Amino acid sequence: FAAILRLVAPSLFPSLTDPERGVVVNASFLLRGALPIGITNAMSLVCANLAYEHLSVAFLQMLKETNIILVYFFSLLASLETFAWWHLQVIGFAIFAASLAVRGEMHFTLVGFLVQFLGQVAESIRIVMMGVLLSGQKLDALSFVLLLSPVCAALLGVFLAVVAVLPEAMVASSLALPSASKICEFAPSLLANCCVAFLLNVSIALMIKHTSPVGYLFLGIVKDVCAVCVSVVALHETVTGLQYLAFSLQIAAVLTWSLLKAHSEALKAEGLLGAWSAVAARVLSSVGDGERRPLVSKPGVV
């Protein structure tokens, strides 16, 4: 999709077409930037799909809320975030909520949990490396997708080739390749999935470029809420009362992080409680004045 757009509308790829913003695509860029992101992206895709065979969609979405912990840790290592004690307080609260979700799962399997955890580690590393690459190379979102997608596709192609040549006894049932008739049967769904995946990759690159890896994860709260609701309503999956409570606490932790990030000055001056007071005062003031005032002053935080 990105290659077709590049031919039809090259102006949408300023990092590759504008001489002033041109990005040099050399061996260093491919080995230090594109290849590591492609490897972690491929690992994340494989593990995420394998996990669906062992755990419910709703429970997996609850586990993904803990990505903020991994991304924050890796962002500190990459100097994309600065350490603050209130970060640990909110993240500690999120860990507690995630532990409740695990405890409340009725169909928990260790294999599925470990596969999902490996996928989340790979995804978190990928998100942080994307933040470093997008900020350092000044890449636009479409150019990023055009350069990185072939790398991931090539790695997944090698993996599929290895699975195809291995004896059936050595390949797990969850990794078995579908027949040609099955591929034709689900071709419309696969094509629709490819279109959505392309749009998702572009939107992820845009959000990470204009916010931060941690900020992007907090924006995923809407997606996670929708995924849990769809899994319960459409797929009729069972969610316990404890998991409802845990997911609500995770949402509260995400909203807390977002609002306090927007009131960083109050945090520095008055601490965690002072920042919450500033948020509450802003809400009451906007309600009392009858005006719609944003809770945050920077659109990038939203």
Side-chain angles (χ1 to χ4, degrees):
F1 293 108
I4 294 173
L5 276 178
R6 173 70 173 81
L7 295 175
V8 175
S11 61
L12 296 176
F13 300 80
S15 297
L16 299 178
T17 58
D18 188 351
E20 296 181 358
R21 297 180 54 185
V23 175
V24 179
V25 182
N26 51 25
S28 177
F29 174 84
L30 293 175
L31 293 177
R32 297 183 180 181
L35 185 60
I37 294 177
I39 292 173
T40 52
N41 192 21
M43 287 180 59
S44 173
L45 289 172
V46 172
C47 292
N49 284 281
L50 287 176
Y52 282 118
E53 294 197 358
H54 301 278
L55 299 170
S56 66
V57 174
F59 181 57
L60 289 175
Q61 293 304 131
M62 295 178 188
L63 289 180
K64 288 178 182 179
E65 291 297 317
T66 58
N67 274 0
I68 181 60
I69 303 165
L70 298 170
V71 170
Y72 177 69
F73 173 73
F74 292 129
S75 295
L76 286 177
L77 295 179
S79 300
L80 296 179
E81 289 282 343
T82 56
F83 175 79
W85 284 109
W86 74 268
H87 291 171
L88 292 184
Q89 293 173 326
V90 177
I91 288 176
F93 184 74
I95 294 175
F96 169 73
S99 66
L100 291 180
V102 174
R103 185 175 180 84
E105 174 62 18
M106 298 176 61
H107 306 289
F108 178 83
T109 63
L110 182 60
V111 173
F113 178 79
L114 293 177
V115 170
Q116 176 63 20
F117 179 74
L118 179 60
Q120 289 183 213
V121 171
E123 174 72 5
S124 300
I125 296 174
R126 180 182 74 93
I127 290 172
V128 173
M129 288 193 299
M130 284 176 62
V132 174
L133 188 62
L134 286 169
S135 60
Q137 293 285 344
K138 306 301 180 184
L139 278 170
D140 61 88
L142 284 173
S143 297
F144 176 85
V145 174
L146 178 62
L147 294 174
L148 272 295
S149 295
V151 178
C152 181
L155 293 171
L156 289 174
V158 172
F159 177 76
L160 286 175
V162 172
V163 172
V165 299
L166 287 176
E168 293 186 5
M170 297 179 61
V171 179
S173 59
S174 56
L175 293 176
L177 299 180
S179 61
S181 59
K182 281 291 183 181
I183 295 177
C184 294
E185 179 183 353
F186 290 99
S189 298
L190 292 173
L191 180 60
N193 194 12
C194 290
C195 295
V196 174
F198 170 71
L199 296 175
L200 176 64
N201 286 333
V202 174
S203 65
I204 289 174
L206 279 171
M207 294 311 306
I208 293 178
K209 182 176 180 63
H210 293 289
T211 57
S212 68
V214 176
Y216 154 72
L217 281 184
F218 281 128
L219 290 168
I221 183 63
V222 178
K223 177 207 67 175
D224 295 331
V225 171
C226 292
V228 172
C229 292
V230 169
S231 67
V232 173
V233 175
L235 303 180
H236 306 291
E237 293 185 343
T238 302
V239 178
T240 63
L242 184 59
Q243 286 183 307
Y244 278 120
L245 173 62
F247 193 51
S248 300
L249 293 177
Q250 287 176 315
I251 294 173
V254 169
L255 294 177
T256 298
W257 182 287
S258 301
L259 290 174
L260 295 183
K261 271 283 190 179
H263 294 79
S264 56
E265 294 182 1
L267 267 173
K268 295 178 181 178
E270 304 178 31
L272 192 59
L273 293 178
W276 265 119
S277 300
V279 173
R282 190 178 184 89
V283 173
L284 294 175
S285 176
S286 62
V287 172
D289 295 343
E291 300 178 359
R292 292 185 177 180
R293 296 181 181 178
L295 291 179
V296 293
S297 57
K298 298 179 180 180
V301 177
V302 178

